[in-house]
Amino acid sequence: MHNHYDILIIGAGAGGGTLAYALAPTGKRILLLERGGYLPREKSNWDPDAVFLEQRYRTDEQWYQPDGTPFSPEVHYFVGGNTKVYGAALQRMRQEDFGALQHYDGISPAWPLSYADFEPYYTQAESLFKIHGQRGEDPTEPPMSADYPYGPLAHEPRIQQIADQLSDRGLHPVHLTLALNRDEAHPEKRPCIRCDTCDPYPCLVDAKCDAQIACVDPARQYENVQLLTHALVTRLDTDASGKRIEQVEVQLNGQLQTFSAEIVVVSCGAINSAKLLLQSGNDKHPNGLANSSGLVGRNLMFHNHSALIAVADEPNPTVFQKTLGIHDYYFKGPTQDYPLGQIQLTGKAKWQRLQHMAPVEMPEATLRYLSAHSVDWWVTTEDLPRLENQVTVDRQGKITVHHQPNNTQPHADLIHLLEDHLRDLGFFLFWRKTMKSAVVWHQIGTCVLGEDPSNSVLDLNCRAHDLDNLYVVDASFFPSMGAMNPTLTLVANALRVADHFKSQLKG
């Protein structure tokens, strides 16, 4: 095996997979390392017992709370990363999210890059991930240079009824922008069947445009791209000067191997990327790689997330439910002069999912009734960067997540607003489930980018200030998070960094 490459990418999720896809046509020798394997295509992909009750596809890894209490994080180590089980609602951050915004609990800081810097890459990302949507119906929609590649996925009758009722009350319900392979104009070519096991299940028919389907598999069609699975990177070693990554240590099928590359890219997810940098410290980098600012692992952000199960007398026979969103309160509430966030439907909750969410044991008959009559919502609001919210790693590699949610008042406000609207529509029972620390789906911010090495980890091209050939290309770079799903911004950024690499490689 030739162990030297032009570009070595650690992690085959949305960041690393997209980067490999974009760079594959350059002809440069690219090695993609993934700690997991391919998620098996099996009947269990669509089995709610397996997905929710057995948690078949989640890692059995243990992370820790500051008091030493272990927890099992909701992360998935596969080719494609967490996108293998995501809800596929990919959204642009709003133009205002790139500037400083005053929130209830403080300021969401401005980015050193503008929305205009990302806009062309958002357009490319939407094409790559086959986004379905309807331009012009969202009051918060940012400027767009092109329409969505595909039209919106239509609401089913019960959801259309709710959309009409909300419109009558002055709201602007929108069609969610979804990354699915369902071309209505060419039904013979579309694998998506609008099933009831899309969010958050693996897709048995490969119709969900995840990072494996959209990026990694196409990249592997090029002879210059090599993927190694079950390859856990344990350390990055620098040369004597401490300015370059000289070798990458990898546990590959139980054996320690080393690889090297002209460019090394870390794309492990915000928490694991921080872990790798912190545990790779040496005499030149005593506090961890790329950490002269002391910010590696800090400013960890998660969205404030809640599920709201709303029950009415009227049954909800909807199969594919996740088609509707409400962004009217994204920047301001009716009585709140601060941003609230976004509301969207989630996948139709089966009784097993409700059992997984329940704080106490409930009879199956009760759960089945709730499932048959519920419309299921997801409420997302912004978490602000805080230095004390951070990832730490001990000498044994144990991850401790220090995170106290903030900006929670807007979250409560938005849930109350939604419940008030739904009561007007005949819903009478509401079951809230606020996501706790184990739900780390939208983890960002641990290697913030910026122009000043004293207050940022990465430069504007996501290269570590402290090293010449080390980049971090995942959601670690975000200075703030907005209230939209971060995946599309992550993908757009990977395409942007790929263009930087291409210009460097030409030079």
Side-chain angles (χ1 to χ4, degrees), residues 161-214:
Q161 176 192 35
I162 292 170
D164 293 341
Q165 291 172 327
L166 293 173
S167 295
D168 291 342
R169 284 158 177 77
L171 297 180
H172 302 83
V174 303
H175 290 84
L176 288 178
T177 46
L178 298 172
L180 298 171
N181 189 353
R182 185 178 173 84
D183 183 356
E184 299 290 1
H186 299 91
E188 74 283 358
K189 297 180 180 179
R190 65 185 191 211
C192 176
I193 58 173
R194 289 184 61 121
C195 69
D196 61 350
T197 49
C198 186
D199 172 29
Y201 299 76
C203 184
L204 181 59
V205 295
D206 287 344
K208 192 183 295 184
C209 293
D210 57 50
Q212 175 217 319
I213 300 301

Side-chain angles (χ1 to χ4, degrees), residues 57-118:
Y57 302 108
R58 277 175 55 178
T59 179
D60 58 3
E61 186 177 20
Q62 293 287 297
W63 294 355
Y64 294 85
Q65 297 176 5
D67 65 0
T69 302
F71 67 94
S72 177
E74 292 198 17
V75 294
H76 304 82
Y77 295 138
F78 297 104
V79 176
N82 284 317
T83 66
K84 290 304 298 180
V85 295
Y86 75 159
L90 300 192
Q91 302 152 325
R92 297 183 181 211
M93 286 176 61
R94 279 17 193 175
Q95 185 172 14
E96 296 87 342
D97 286 328
F98 289 84
L101 279 175
Q102 180 66 52
H103 282 255
Y104 178 87
D105 223 9
I107 293 177
S108 178
W111 291 39
L113 298 167
S114 70
Y115 172 79
D117 294 315
F118 281 84

Side-chain angles (χ1 to χ4, degrees), residues 380-432:
T380 302
T381 59
E382 186 164 351
D383 185 34
L384 303 177
R386 296 285 187 266
L387 285 175
E388 61 271 21
N389 284 343
Q390 65 173 322
V391 182
T392 59
V393 183
D394 68 11
R395 292 184 178 181
Q396 287 72 46
K398 183 176 78 173
I399 292 174
T400 298
V401 177
H402 308 255
H403 184 269
Q404 288 295 322
N406 62 64
N407 208 36
T408 55
Q409 183 61 48
H411 196 69
D413 293 342
L414 192 55
I415 292 173
H416 284 304
L417 280 168
L418 177 57
E419 289 181 353
D420 287 344
H421 285 301
L422 294 177
R423 284 190 187 93
D424 290 343
L425 273 56
F427 290 86
F428 65 90
L429 177 64
F430 301 97
W431 178 2
R432 302 181 189 179

Side-chain angles (χ1 to χ4, degrees), residues 264 287 348 444 486:
V264 175
N287 299 315
K348 187 69 198 81
I444 70 168

Side-chain angles (χ1 to χ4, degrees), residues 356-393:
H356 175 60
M357 291 170 50
V360 296
E361 187 171 346
M362 298 176 66
E364 182 179 327
T366 301
L367 293 168
R368 285 183 179 277
Y369 176 87
L370 294 174
S371 175
H373 290 78
S374 70
V375 176
D376 314 298
W377 302 85
W378 195 257
V379 177
T380 302
T381 59
E382 186 164 351
D383 185 34
L384 303 177
R386 296 285 187 266
L387 285 175
E388 61 271 21
N389 284 343
Q390 65 173 322
V391 182
T392 59
V393 183

